[in-house]
Amino acid sequence: MVNRVALGEIVEIFKGNKAPEVFDKPREDARRYLQIEDLRPDAMPKYAIDKDGTLATKNDVLIAWDGANAGTAGFDLEGYIGSTLAILRPTKGNVYAPYFGYFLRSKFNDIQKNTTGATIPHVSRDYLENLQIPLPPLSEQKRIASLLARADRLRGLRRAAREQCDSLLQSVFLEMFGEPQFNEKKWEKVEVAEITESLDSRRVPVEASIRQTKKGIYPYYGASGIIDYVDEYLFDEETLLIGEDGANLLARSTPIAFIANGKYWVNNHAHVLRMKNVNIQFLRYLLNITDLEPYVTGSAQPKLNASNMEKIRVINPPLSKQEEFARVVARVEALRARMDESARQGEALFQSLLAESFG
C-alpha cells in the first residue's frame, strides 16, 4: 500500500509578483520571467530584473493560481514568477518535482471545479493543501515520471505532426499560385460573384423554440458555430460557408471558410456559396489567406455583408490547376485523418497512464 499524504504537509506555497519591467531579450542581471503561458511548451521566453521577485528553481512545481487556466501545472522551470502563478516548494527530500507536477496535472479538473471567486477563478488553498498525493519511494517516483514524460513527448509529437498538415498545404498553395495579394504569377482576377452562386436568399429562418429543443439530425450553424440540430436541411454538401462576423474574420482565430460536408441549416451569421467556375478546395484556402479588411464594414460590430462578400477580388488560375491543388488537399487530409487518430490514441495513452499512476 502506497502511503498518501496531504500536499499541505509536504510543500510550501509562495505567490508571485508582477515584475517592474519585462524584456523580450536577456540582459545583464536579468532572469527568465515566468507567466501562465510559460507552463505550456514552446512559450516565447521573457526576462525581468526584480530584486524583490519570487524566484522559482527546477526543484519547484509551478501552478497557475488565478484566471481561466487556474490549476495548470508546470515544472522544470526557473526564474521570477508573475503575479498569477504560485510556487509549490517541497519541504522534504522525498518528493521528486516532475512526479509531483504530473500528479497536479492529473488533478487539473478537480482543482478547477473547486476554485473560488465569482468573476476571476482562484485556486482554493484549502482544497489544494488537502489533496492527497500517493508518495512511493523516490526511485519509484522517478520511474513513474520518466514513463509519463515519454508518453507526454509522444502525444506532443503527434499533435505537432498533425498541425504541420496545415502549414504544408499553405506552402503548397503558395508554391503553386504565389502570394495572392501580389499576384506575381499574373493570374486573372475576378470577383467572388463571378465564380460562385450565393444561396443567402434561400435561407429559411429556424425558430428559436425549435432550435432550443436540440433535437433532429441536421446541424444548425449559428453565430458561435454549430449550435443545434433540426429535422430538415437547407444546404447539401460541397457548399462553402463563410463567416459574417467581421471581428472574427480579421482576427482569424479560426478559418473564415469551410466546406459543409453534410447538410446544414444556416442563419444570417454565415454566407453560403455554391461553386460555379471554381474548385471549392482552392477557394476555401484562398479565402482563408485573403486580406478581407477592405471588405469589412462597421467598427463597433464589424460585418462582412453579402454585397461586399461578392465583391472580394481573388485570383482565378485555370481550373485544371485548381483541381491539381484539390488532389493534394485530399491526400493531405487523408494523412491528417490518420494523424488525428494517432493523436487521439496518444492522448488516451497519456491520460490512462496518469490515472493509473495516481488513481
Side-chain angles (χ1 to χ4, degrees):
M1 180 68 71
V2 174
N3 184 37
R4 287 178 175 267
V5 298
L7 288 188
E9 298 177 23
I10 60 171
V11 301
E12 288 183 298
I13 300 175
F14 304 93
K15 284 294 303 294
N17 346 292
K18 185 176 180 180
E21 190 177 0
V22 180
F23 320 115
D24 291 330
K25 296 180 180 178
R27 297 187 183 183
E28 188 178 357
D29 298 327
R31 289 178 178 268
R32 179 91 181 266
Y33 181 61
L34 303 169
Q35 298 171 285
I36 286 179
E37 55 267 26
D38 294 286
L39 303 183
R40 297 183 175 83
D42 304 323
M44 294 295 292
K46 305 284 187 183
Y47 303 88
I49 300 173
D50 187 0
K51 59 183 178 61
D52 298 318
T54 305
L55 199 58
T57 74
K58 291 200 173 186
N59 294 321
D60 296 326
V61 172
L62 304 182
I63 188 168
W65 198 266
D66 308 301
N69 296 304
T72 303
F75 52 88
D76 198 29
L77 294 164
E78 56 185 355
Y80 298 118
I81 64 168
S83 58
T84 56
L85 298 184
I87 291 172
L88 304 182
R89 179 165 290 160
T91 56
K92 301 178 181 179
N94 63 340
V95 180
Y96 182 53
Y99 172 84
F100 178 25
Y102 279 121
F103 167 76
L104 285 178
R105 289 181 181 178
S106 77
K107 298 297 180 184
F108 172 76
N109 290 334
D110 294 331
I111 295 171
Q112 281 246 311
K113 288 176 186 175
N114 289 277
T115 54
T116 62
T119 55
I120 300 177
H122 309 282
V123 169
S124 165
R125 182 184 285 261
D126 286 343
Y127 180 79
L128 191 65
E129 289 181 337
N130 284 293
L131 267 180
Q132 299 285 312
I133 179 172
L135 212 58
L138 205 56
S139 59
E140 179 65 4
Q141 293 180 40
K142 291 180 177 179
R143 186 191 71 81
I144 291 171
S146 175
L147 179 64
L148 289 170
R150 290 198 295 273
D152 202 5
R153 283 194 297 272
L154 178 62
R155 70 172 183 160
L157 288 171
R158 287 174 171 175
R159 280 199 307 266
R162 193 245 184 245
E163 291 166 2
Q164 287 298 315
C165 287
D166 285 331
S167 298
L168 171 62
L169 284 174
Q170 185 166 328
S171 297
V172 171
F173 185 97
L174 294 175
E175 176 67 25
M176 291 181 67
F177 306 110
E179 172 57 61
Q181 180 180 352
F182 303 113
N183 193 18
E184 63 267 27
K185 297 200 175 186
K186 308 298 182 187
W187 303 116
E188 173 194 24
K189 296 197 81 169
V190 297
E191 292 184 351
V192 165
E194 298 178 54
I195 54 175
T196 64
E197 175 192 1
S198 173
L199 303 184
D200 284 3
S201 61
R202 294 172 53 185
R203 283 191 293 226
V204 178
V206 181
E207 295 179 8
S209 59
I210 296 175
R211 289 190 287 109
Q212 287 169 0
T213 64
K214 297 187 177 180
K215 293 179 181 178
I217 59 175
Y218 298 115
Y220 177 82
Y221 184 85
S224 302
I226 295 169
I227 57 176
D228 240 327
Y229 289 78
V230 293
D231 289 324
E232 299 182 58
Y233 71 90
L234 184 57
F235 300 110
D236 290 329
E237 57 189 48
E238 288 292 294
T239 299
L240 202 62
L241 304 184
I242 301 173
E244 184 177 316
D245 182 343
N248 288 335
L249 298 183
L250 299 180
R252 284 298 213 282
S253 56
T254 56
I256 64 153
F258 69 93
I259 297 174
N261 288 321
K263 301 175 181 184
Y264 288 79
W265 281 83
V266 181
N267 75 356
N268 61 355
H269 293 282
H271 300 294
V272 189
L273 296 179
R274 182 163 288 159
M275 305 300 102
K276 288 197 307 187
N277 301 307
V278 64
N279 180 274
I280 192 169
Q281 291 286 10
F282 167 80
L283 186 59
R284 172 168 70 113
Y285 274 86
L286 177 57
L287 287 175
N288 284 336
I289 62 172
T290 296
D291 177 18
L292 297 180
E293 188 166 6
Y295 305 96
V296 172
T297 60
S299 54
Q301 290 184 315
K303 291 289 181 183
L304 176 65
N305 62 42
S307 174
N308 283 353
M309 183 269 299
E310 293 182 349
K311 292 175 183 174
I312 297 172
R313 288 188 62 78
V314 294
I315 60 172
N316 187 34
L319 193 57
S320 60
K321 193 80 170 174
Q322 298 177 29
E323 290 171 345
E324 181 184 344
F325 173 72
R327 289 191 289 273
V328 175
V329 172
R331 291 196 295 271
V332 172
E333 291 193 342
L335 175 62
R336 179 159 45 196
R338 294 195 295 272
M339 288 180 172
D340 284 344
E341 175 60 19
S342 179
R344 187 197 64 77
Q345 291 176 0
E347 182 65 28
L349 171 64
F350 180 72
Q351 296 301 331
S352 174
L353 288 173
L354 275 181
E356 184 178 342
S357 300
F358 303 115

